[in-house]
Amino acid sequence: AGAVPALSPICSEAAKSAVQNFVTRYNVLNATISTYTRYDPATQTGGALLGDSTVRGLAQQARAVLGTTVGSGTYQNLAQVGITGWTDGSYKLDAAKFAEAYKADPAAVSALFGTSGYGGQIATLAADYLEADGRIAAKQESLNSQLKDIDKQKVSLERRMDMVEARYRAQFTALDTLISQLRTTSTYLTQQLSNLPGSSSSN
């Protein structure tokens, strides 16, 4: 077999930079999803998107894409070009191993991240979720609809609460008036009874 032809350092560095950017962007996405979906047992509080099926589906599908093999070339998975997955869902690029793989077969590395590889699959997944008619937009529309319903219910509830408050205030005022009248009547009766013949105060 002939020797592997020398590659331009610029091409090699550009490829490594592109792949590192891919890994970095995925890690940012993974960290963001983790932040919004995590549950803290110490404080018993969860992220704003804890349990959300749309976000959970995005995370699961993205991990599935990067965890599978692609194509039939020299390189068919990320580990072969120096990209290792961690337990927290993030990935790390081994620059030396990537450079070695790229030097051995740059076309295969490019294909691994091309339109038929991980890059294309992630782009398709992103479009499914992020386009104007995608899943996240649909979820937002659903949430907006629910918020509008809640606003309507809130207005209705506030109206009912105002009515209840007014009724309670009226009842309180009526009872207060009744108590005042009863006290006046009681005082009057006591005074009148004390003036009757035979009462202790009239003797």
Side-chain angles (χ1 to χ4, degrees):
V4 175
L7 294 170
S8 165
I10 296 177
C11 292
S12 178
E13 283 301 313
K16 184 181 74 174
S17 178
V19 171
Q20 180 61 68
N21 187 49
F22 175 85
V23 171
T24 299
R25 287 179 180 275
Y26 176 80
N27 286 343
V28 169
L29 172 64
N30 177 70
T32 301
I33 291 175
S34 296
T35 297
Y36 282 120
T37 59
R38 71 161 51 104
Y39 176 76
D40 186 347
T43 61
Q44 296 185 343
T45 58
L49 297 174
L50 177 66
D52 185 274
S53 60
T54 302
V55 176
R56 186 170 61 247
L58 171 59
Q60 291 173 343
Q61 290 184 59
R63 288 169 185 162
V65 166
L66 297 185
T68 191
T69 58
V70 297
S72 57
T74 305
Y75 307 120
Q76 299 176 30
N77 63 63
L78 294 176
Q80 292 175 322
V81 295
I83 300 176
T84 306
W86 295 78
T87 55
D88 63 356
S90 65
Y91 283 82
K92 183 177 181 180
L93 173 65
D94 183 328
K97 187 172 182 179
F98 175 82
E100 182 181 343
Y102 188 81
K103 181 178 180 180
D105 195 340
V109 173
S110 297
L112 190 67
F113 294 97
T115 55
S116 298
Y118 293 113
Q121 291 186 44
I122 289 294
T124 299
L125 178 63
D128 183 35
Y129 277 85
L130 303 178
E131 291 291 342
D133 58 348
R135 299 189 185 189
I136 290 180
K139 184 58 178 288
Q140 288 179 317
E141 184 177 351
S142 174
L143 289 174
N144 281 331
S145 178
Q146 292 179 45
L147 286 172
K148 289 179 181 178
D149 288 341
I150 289 173
D151 285 339
K152 291 178 182 178
Q153 293 174 18
K154 182 180 178 182
V155 170
S156 178
L157 178 60
E158 287 176 347
R159 187 179 299 114
R160 290 198 299 270
M161 291 302 295
D162 288 342
M163 293 172 63
V164 170
E165 181 183 9
R167 185 171 73 251
Y168 285 169
R169 287 187 181 279
Q171 290 176 351
F172 178 85
T173 300
L175 287 172
D176 194 47
T177 300
L178 180 60
I179 289 172
S180 178
Q181 291 176 345
L182 286 174
R183 285 174 177 169
T184 300
T185 301
S186 176
T187 300
Y188 175 79
L189 288 175
T190 300
Q191 292 174 346
Q192 293 302 311
L193 289 173
S194 66
N195 294 326
L196 292 176
S199 65
S200 59
S201 58
S202 63
N203 294 330

